[in-house]
């Protein structure tokens, strides 16, 4: 029998509204009980005095690079980095080699995750074959094999007719459609956000409108098809406003924000450090404020990292030649505490919801709750432990983080998956 008693932590469970000091008992991979001074014989004890105990964090947007790009990340290393970031469940995008556009690849990922991942891994399938934007992928059989959503992520479906067919089909299967909203014609050739900074640096710009027009298009297609539509990593003020409007109309539209999009602006790019190069690009301070406002107002459903490992050989080139994307799993909680909670913008409970019930609701994962009988996935974190992120110590195989060397106040302390402690701070 596998028993763990987490004693005396401040337990925050947004699913039930519970927010008080209590003990949490886990048994045989399930939540057994929550209450004061639990008597739980023969259990391993974790003393959580002074710490926060919540449902396991869920990241609905990561890139694990396996199969095919294992020199950048594997399911095993990505899941270890997730656990070190406090995440117990991660959802991986389909842009592997081959693309996860059929049940064989989905089953391979599910099988590798079962064998090697310390966290739960939920695959996201491609919308179109090879994410080429033309023919629909084998969505039905991928759903049977375990996908929880469809997306062509960094290769967004440009043809509105194909997107309409995808949403109709996804609706019939009750799968959400996640779009990395980018009009590739508007963004073509750009390396950073188009604005004063790009002009000053002489770098080619990606206008915010390249995101906005796709958010608008897909909200309208979602409205006409009734599909559940989720905006990945929204970053512009107009996107936030449109999602908020869609919600007001009662449409099944949701969105996520990444820590880097609410923590830093395009001004950072002046260093020409390619670790500030991602898509969508770091935006203006007005956009950053709008994303935070969206989080405050409830327009944003989830915090997701878009963890995108790239090996040094690719990131250490001239800015224009580097691939887009940065690591995110290990710094998400530290940045969220700093920019959202310590800054007084949202409550601790609201932040926890963005990592738990929010993402669980978007993808209808039966996670993000401490109800008795639920999977024993638990995150324990501190709001004041001081620690410095050293990317060279990362569990990821890659090193592309702009936050290496940054000191955080608050961060993960232990990560528990199915009742087992899979990571703990030394
Ligand atoms: Zn993306």
């Amino acid at each position: 029998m596998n028993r763990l008693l987490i004693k005396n932590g401040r337990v925050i469970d947004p699913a039930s509204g519970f927010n008080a000091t209590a003990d949490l008992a886990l048994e045989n991979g399930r939540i057994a009980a929550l209450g004061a001074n639990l008597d739980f014989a023969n259990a391993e004890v974790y003393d959580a005095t002074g710490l926060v105990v919540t449902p396991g964090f869920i990241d609905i947007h990561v890139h694990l690079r396996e199969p095919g790009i294992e020199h950048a990340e594997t399911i095993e290393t990505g899941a270890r980095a997730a656990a070190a970031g406090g995440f117990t469940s991660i959802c991986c995008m389909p842009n592997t080699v081959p693309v996860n556009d059929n049940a064989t690849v989905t089953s391979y990922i599910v099988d590798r995750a079962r064998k090697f991942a310390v966290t739960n891994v939920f695959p996201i399938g491609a919308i179109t074959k090879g994410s080429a934007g033309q023919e629909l992928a084998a969505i039905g059989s991928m759903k049977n094999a375990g996908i929880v959503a469809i997306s062509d992520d960094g290769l967004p479906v440009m043809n509105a007719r194909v997107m309409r067919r995808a949403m109709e089909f996804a609706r019939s299967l009750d799968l959400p459609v996640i779009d990395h909203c980018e009009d590739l014609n508007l963004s073509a050739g750009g390396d950073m956000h188009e604005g004063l900074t790009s002009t000053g640096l002489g770098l080619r710009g990606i206008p915010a409108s390249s995101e906005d027009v796709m958010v608008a298009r897909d909200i309208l297609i979602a409205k006409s098809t009734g599909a559940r539509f989720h905006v990945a990593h929204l970053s512009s003020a107009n996107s936030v406003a449109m999602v908020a409007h869609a919600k007001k109309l009662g449409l099944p539209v949701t969105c996520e924000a990444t820590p880097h999009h609410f923590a830093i602006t395009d001004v950072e790019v002046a260093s020409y450090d390619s670790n500030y190069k991602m898509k969508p690009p770091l935006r203006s301070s007005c956009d950053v404020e709008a994303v935070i406002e969206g989080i405050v107002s409830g327009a944003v459903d989830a915090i997701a990292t878009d963890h995108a490992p790239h090996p040094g050989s690719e990131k250490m080139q001239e800015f224009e030649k580097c691939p887009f994307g940065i690591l995110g799993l290990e710094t998400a909680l530290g940045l969220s505490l700093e920019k959202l909670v310590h800054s007084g913008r949202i409550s601790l409970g609201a932040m926890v919801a963005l990592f738990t019930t929010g993402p669980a609701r978007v993808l209808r994962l039966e996670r993000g709750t401490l109800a008795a009988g639920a999977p024993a996935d638990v995150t324990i974190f501190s709001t004041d432990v001081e620690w410095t992120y050293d990317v060279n110590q990362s569990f990821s195989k890659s090193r592309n983080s702009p936050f290496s060397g940054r000191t955080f106040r608050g961060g993960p302390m232990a990560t528990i998956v199915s009742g087992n402690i899979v990571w703990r701070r030394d």
Side-chain angles (χ1 to χ4, degrees):
M1 198 140 55
N2 169 353
R3 301 182 125 198
L4 178 65
L5 181 62
I6 302 163
K7 280 203 74 76
N8 208 33
R10 176 176 170 196
V11 180
I12 300 179
D13 181 13
S16 66
F18 190 94
N19 187 341
T21 299
D23 296 347
L24 181 67
L26 315 178
E27 184 171 36
N28 295 333
R30 300 268 154 189
I31 306 285
L34 168 64
N37 302 313
L38 291 183
D39 186 17
F40 203 52
N42 303 320
E44 181 188 346
V45 174
Y46 184 100
D47 180 3
T49 305
L51 302 177
V52 182
V53 178
T54 71
F57 285 8
I58 301 164
D59 187 347
I60 58 176
H61 192 151
V62 306
H63 298 271
L64 295 178
R65 306 302 192 209
E66 183 180 358
I69 321 164
E70 288 90 348
H71 61 289
E73 195 76 288
T74 63
I75 291 167
E76 180 177 2
T77 59
R80 286 208 177 279
F87 294 97
T88 59
S89 294
I90 50 180
C91 304
C92 55
M93 282 293 175
N95 60 334
T96 47
V97 181
V99 170
N100 182 15
D101 63 2
N102 65 78
T104 306
V105 179
T106 306
S107 299
Y108 177 83
I109 294 167
V110 168
D111 184 54
R112 297 286 291 181
R114 195 175 294 134
K115 287 187 182 129
F116 299 109
V118 294
T119 62
N120 307 297
V121 174
F122 298 101
I124 294 165
I127 297 175
T128 60
K129 282 185 187 160
S131 288
Q134 303 296 319
E135 278 174 83
L136 291 190
I139 300 169
S141 57
M142 284 194 291
K143 189 188 177 193
N144 292 333
I147 62 164
V148 293
I150 53 173
S151 179
D152 278 344
D153 194 39
L155 296 166
V157 177
M158 284 295 292
N159 184 321
R161 188 171 156 206
V162 173
M163 186 52 114
R164 179 188 171 179
R165 285 195 357 250
M167 285 207 194
E168 285 167 349
F169 198 51
R171 193 201 161 176
S172 71
L173 293 171
D174 196 23
L175 275 175
V177 177
I178 303 174
D179 196 11
H180 160 126
C181 292
E182 176 187 357
D183 183 308
L184 297 170
N185 297 310
L186 279 171
S187 62
D191 293 307
M192 67 172 291
H193 175 63
E194 181 179 285
L196 281 177
T197 310
S198 66
T199 308
L201 296 174
L203 288 170
R204 287 169 300 180
I206 299 172
S209 58
S210 68
E211 175 174 326
D212 303 338
V213 297
M214 290 299 253
V215 172
R217 183 199 78 174
D218 287 352
I219 286 174
L220 293 169
I221 300 175
K223 186 179 178 194
S224 68
T225 59
R228 285 152 62 202
F229 166 53
H230 179 74
V231 182
H233 45 47
L234 99 177
S235 70
S236 76
N238 284 327
S239 301
V240 177
M242 286 187 281
V243 169
H245 181 65
K247 288 186 166 186
K248 226 168 261 166
L249 296 178
L251 301 177
V253 174
T254 55
C255 71
E256 74 200 24
T258 75
H260 50 271
H261 285 120
F262 60 72
I264 50 179
T265 69
D266 62 340
V267 168
E268 305 286 351
V269 179
S271 62
Y272 290 101
D273 177 347
S274 66
N275 290 322
Y276 293 107
K277 180 173 177 180
M278 65 285 282
K279 266 189 180 175
L282 297 173
R283 300 249 187 232
S284 71
S285 53
C286 294
D287 292 306
V288 169
E289 180 53 29
V291 171
I292 294 175
E293 281 294 326
I295 289 170
V296 172
S297 70
V300 173
D301 297 87
I303 294 172
T305 67
D306 192 12
H307 177 80
H310 292 290
S313 54
E314 289 170 24
K315 267 299 207 185
M316 311 272 253
Q317 306 182 71
E318 293 153 73
F319 196 87
E320 291 93 329
K321 287 187 180 156
C322 289
F324 295 89
I326 60 166
L327 305 185
L329 288 163
E330 293 162 316
T331 50
L333 175 57
L335 287 168
S336 300
L337 284 167
E338 177 184 325
K339 296 295 175 183
L340 303 177
V341 179
H342 295 324
S343 60
R345 303 303 297 269
I346 61 173
S347 68
L348 188 57
M351 185 206 73
V352 170
L354 290 163
F355 280 111
T356 57
T357 41
R361 205 180 309 119
V362 169
L363 297 189
R364 299 204 180 143
L365 305 175
E366 281 165 19
R367 308 267 160 180
T369 165
L370 296 177
D377 294 348
V378 180
T379 297
I380 302 175
F381 66 91
S382 163
T383 55
D384 50 30
V385 65
E386 200 171 279
W387 63 285
T388 300
Y389 183 55
D390 176 2
V391 78
N392 291 314
Q393 305 295 319
S394 173
F395 285 96
S396 171
K397 272 196 166 183
S398 293
R399 296 287 176 259
N400 51 312
S401 167
F403 301 114
S404 192
R406 192 181 183 104
T407 296
F408 294 98
R409 180 156 76 89
M413 297 302 286
T415 306
I416 297 162
V417 179
S418 296
N420 298 306
I421 299 177
V422 296
W423 175 85
R424 72 198 299 169
R425 187 177 295 280
D426 301 324

